Amino acid sequence: MKKIFSLFVLAMMVLVLAACGGGNDEASEGSASEGEGSGETKTIRAGIGLNDSHPQYLALLEWKKIVEEKTDGAIKVETYHSSQLGDDRAMTEALQLGSQEVTIPSTAPIANFVPEYSVFDFPFLFPNEQVADKVLDGEVGQKFLDKLEDQNLVGLAYWENGFRDVTNSERAIESASDFEGLKLRTMENDLHLDAFKALGANPTPMAFGELFTAMQQGTVDGQENPIPTIYLQGFYEVQDYVSTTHHIYSPFVFLMSKEFFDGLTEEQQTIVTEAAVEAGALNRELNREAVAEYADELKAEGMNYNEVSPEARAEMVKIVQPVLDEYAEKIGKETVQEVYDAVAEAEAELAE
């Protein structure tokens, strides 16, 4: 599994050097082919916050490849990694304004635009990746994608960021009490902030691009992110402990500017959408392989790596439940219950 992932990374990095270069793609020349219904090349600027080794970026390169091939070059995709176009919120706002075409943020920043998305950041909502896939790719997931149109956004598919774990430079998280007093960087999301406060931590929202330096200088004690992000961002250089809290399963949402999407032909709309689903499947596959590989790498780099017990997670669930009840009221109990029902139904179907 590790070899497969590593070989894929090497292959895609060749594409990075040859074609992307952090957004240095040359503009396409010529006109759209017959059947595309357009006389000029359309350019998509696709930006993400993570670096060019992350499964998200590798899958974005796959999406680029599919779109450019299937449109015969009528659509050109420029890719930008490492927050080159701004953080998740700034890029999402750029999509709304029509000054950028694609970004793929986690659900937490999207909740600033569509509050109902906070339900996906309810701690311990999804028990595993398979249940998450079934819910997100099903009717409930589509309902949430449809909610984006009122914000001048189009949701094409769900990708995977993964289960979020905590790192810090103070101590291992083995029980809820170990959160007490920790200064943890979180995303700019009220639910995240309130949940960590309930656990006794001192959460601090901060742009992702500022995080490494903040941990290095001791401005914050730690942070929470999926294992691939922890490893690929080199957090092991400034953090001593990683604990598998798995407190939130974090999906990515493949977003496109509604203004741009509406300007595509029906055929092109189908191509970019189907490509987002296809590349999303690759993203999930690579991400899950990377979790196992990079967990071993973190240990090899000297990090203290501990598995959090189901009993400790149950304790955390109990502590944050009042926060979840509060947000269920804000979001709408019916909406929240619909998601929980979908999770229960998916679990039952997968158990058969």
Side-chain angles (χ1 to χ4, degrees):
M1 182 176 290
K2 291 183 184 179
K3 290 181 179 178
I4 293 173
F5 177 72
S6 298
L7 288 172
F8 187 88
V9 171
L10 286 172
M12 296 310 288
M13 288 308 296
V14 170
L15 284 177
V16 174
L17 294 171
C20 297
N24 293 324
D25 291 337
E26 296 179 4
S28 293
E29 297 180 357
S31 61
S33 62
E34 288 186 22
E36 290 300 330
S38 173
E40 62 181 21
T41 299
K42 297 180 175 72
T43 299
I44 291 175
R45 286 154 295 181
I48 63 170
L50 296 169
N51 69 27
D52 57 358
S53 296
H54 195 281
Q56 184 192 37
Y57 188 70
L58 301 179
L60 180 59
L61 293 181
E62 180 68 10
W63 182 77
K64 165 189 167 73
K65 176 184 174 184
I66 295 169
V67 169
E68 291 182 344
E69 287 181 354
K70 290 194 173 182
T71 62
D72 294 326
I75 296 178
K76 176 73 174 177
V77 181
E78 298 175 355
T79 60
Y80 299 82
H81 55 80
S82 306
S83 301
Q84 289 173 307
L85 299 183
D87 61 22
D88 284 341
R89 182 162 187 163
M91 288 190 285
T92 302
E93 289 172 346
L95 262 62
Q96 291 179 306
L97 296 171
S99 58
Q100 184 178 329
E101 291 70 42
V102 165
T103 190
I104 317 172
S106 295
T107 49
I110 295 175
N112 293 301
F113 303 89
V114 183
E116 292 93 332
Y117 268 79
S118 287
V119 70
F120 292 126
D121 289 278
F122 273 33
F124 311 105
L125 171 65
F126 292 114
N128 54 56
E129 293 95 338
Q130 291 70 34
V131 169
D133 290 349
K134 205 165 186 62
V135 173
L136 295 170
D137 295 341
E139 182 179 344
V140 166
Q142 185 59 51
K143 282 186 178 180
F144 275 82
L145 293 181
D146 293 342
K147 294 178 186 293
L148 294 163
E149 292 204 16
D150 289 341
Q151 295 295 318
N152 291 323
L153 302 167
V154 177
L156 301 186
Y158 292 97
W159 288 18
E160 178 174 276
N161 193 1
F163 279 105
R164 306 180 76 86
D165 295 319
V166 172
T167 71
N168 76 95
S169 56
E170 296 295 320
R171 55 184 171 271
I173 304 297
E174 296 179 336
S175 68
S177 62
D178 291 319
F179 280 102
E180 191 65 38
L182 283 180
K183 294 180 291 183
L184 293 178
R185 177 270 178 183
T186 68
M187 289 185 282
E188 189 178 343
N189 178 277
D190 289 340
L191 174 54
H192 281 217
L193 293 169
D194 289 343
F196 278 112
K197 285 177 184 175
L199 288 166
N202 180 14
T204 303
M206 180 183 296
F208 186 71
E210 301 171 6
L211 177 55
F212 186 95
T213 300
M215 292 189 294
Q216 187 177 45
Q217 296 178 346
T219 306
V220 293
D221 298 319
Q223 60 84 54
E224 48 86 46
N225 260 298
I227 292 295
T229 302
I230 294 168
Y231 178 74
L232 290 170
Q233 295 297 138
F235 291 165
Y236 53 82
E237 296 178 12
V238 291
Q239 297 277 271
D240 297 321
Y241 301 92
V242 56
S243 305
T244 61
T245 49
H246 282 20
H247 50 280
I248 291 171
Y249 174 85
S250 188
F252 285 130
V253 183
F254 195 109
L255 298 179
M256 181 170 281
S257 163
K258 188 175 188 301
E259 177 183 331
F260 181 82
F261 185 82
D262 288 346
L264 299 176
T265 66
E266 287 188 15
E267 182 181 1
Q268 289 171 341
Q269 289 177 348
T270 298
I271 288 170
V272 298
T273 302
E274 291 181 348
V277 174
E278 183 177 343
L282 175 64
N283 159 254
R284 287 172 176 172
E285 178 185 351
L286 293 178
N287 201 62
R288 290 166 197 181
E289 292 174 357
V291 169
E293 177 173 353
Y294 293 147
D296 288 341
E297 294 293 344
L298 290 174
K299 297 171 190 174
E301 291 290 347
M303 288 197 81
N304 183 312
Y305 185 101
N306 72 286
E307 297 282 351
V308 176
S309 70
E311 293 77 17
R313 288 199 190 95
E315 180 188 12
M316 295 172 196
V317 171
K318 185 176 180 180
I319 291 171
V320 301
Q321 190 59 52
V323 175
L324 304 189
D325 293 341
E326 177 187 345
Y327 276 84
E329 291 280 356
K330 293 180 181 179
I331 296 169
K333 287 185 176 181
E334 186 175 322
T335 297
V336 172
Q337 191 58 52
E338 184 177 20
V339 174
Y340 272 97
D341 288 345
V343 169
E345 183 179 339
E347 281 190 274
E349 289 179 6
L350 291 168
E352 291 178 356

